[in-house]
Amino acid sequence: MINFNYMGEDNTLYKGVVVYRCITKDILDGFWSEKHGNSLCLGEERCFRVNDEQNKFD
């Protein structure tokens, strides 16, 4: 679980929490919610490990 915050375009500080589950050593599956956001709206995301060799620019 990770707490996060960010400054919105309206200069309001938004806070929330994200929870990740390890699918494999290279993939995380997560969901997040903001403190004062709509409790019926949860965000979802999937994270992938980046391999530097695959992402080099020529």
Side-chain angles (χ1 to χ4, degrees):
M1 178 168 53
I2 300 171
N3 293 313
F4 67 87
N5 64 63
Y6 64 94
M7 185 68 65
E9 291 179 8
D10 59 357
N11 288 328
T12 300
L13 182 63
Y14 293 93
K15 298 178 182 181
V17 64
V18 62
V19 177
Y20 290 106
R21 174 175 61 123
C22 294
I23 304 297
T24 69
K25 70 179 185 80
D26 296 323
I27 301 173
L28 300 176
D29 196 35
F31 66 91
W32 54 265
S33 177
E34 291 182 0
K35 184 174 182 179
H36 296 292
N38 183 339
S39 62
L40 298 177
C41 297
L42 293 176
E44 297 178 356
E45 60 190 36
R46 184 157 282 182
C47 304
F48 301 91
R49 182 183 305 267
V50 175
N51 180 337
D52 288 338
E53 292 299 315
Q54 293 174 342
N55 294 300
K56 286 187 176 177
F57 295 101
D58 290 328

